[in-house]
Amino acid sequence: LDTSGLLCPLPVLKARRALNTMQSGQCLRVIATDSKAPGDFAAYCEQSGDILREVTQDGERHLILVQKG
């Protein structure tokens, strides 16, 4: 899911919408350019029961892997 150029809270909201269509155990890879995205996704996963598997940075892009809880 490419959320490049979107600011908080849109990357998390778009990811949540996508995760709601997925089955437990499936993973969603998100690309975000908002510098707050890693923290936003960590907070979201704590609340939602989904699992933040990985956060890496590639230049200005954050690559975020979330597993559906």
Side-chain angles (χ1 to χ4, degrees), residues 28-48:
L28 176 68
R29 184 171 304 277
V30 181
I31 300 168
T33 53
D34 183 355
S35 62
K36 297 178 183 173
D40 291 345
F41 275 91
Y44 167 75
C45 287
E46 284 182 27
Q47 299 266 335
S48 69

Side-chain angles (χ1 to χ4, degrees), residues 2-20:
D2 189 352
T3 65
S4 297
L6 299 178
L7 299 176
C8 172
L10 290 175
V12 171
L13 293 175
K14 288 187 172 283
R16 182 177 69 186
R17 188 176 304 142
L19 286 162
N20 284 339

Side-chain angles (χ1 to χ4, degrees), residues 40-65:
D40 291 345
F41 275 91
Y44 167 75
C45 287
E46 284 182 27
Q47 299 266 335
S48 69
D50 296 323
I51 302 162
L52 184 60
R53 287 287 177 201
E54 183 178 273
V55 177
T56 58
Q57 191 166 353
D58 178 20
E60 293 182 11
R61 299 182 326 156
H62 299 280
L63 308 174
I64 301 164
L65 184 65

Side-chain angles (χ1 to χ4, degrees), residues 19 22-26 44-45 48-51 66-69:
L19 286 162
M22 298 169 64
Q23 294 184 9
S24 181
Q26 290 184 309
Y44 167 75
C45 287
S48 69
D50 296 323
I51 302 162
V66 179
Q67 183 177 354
K68 173 74 175 179

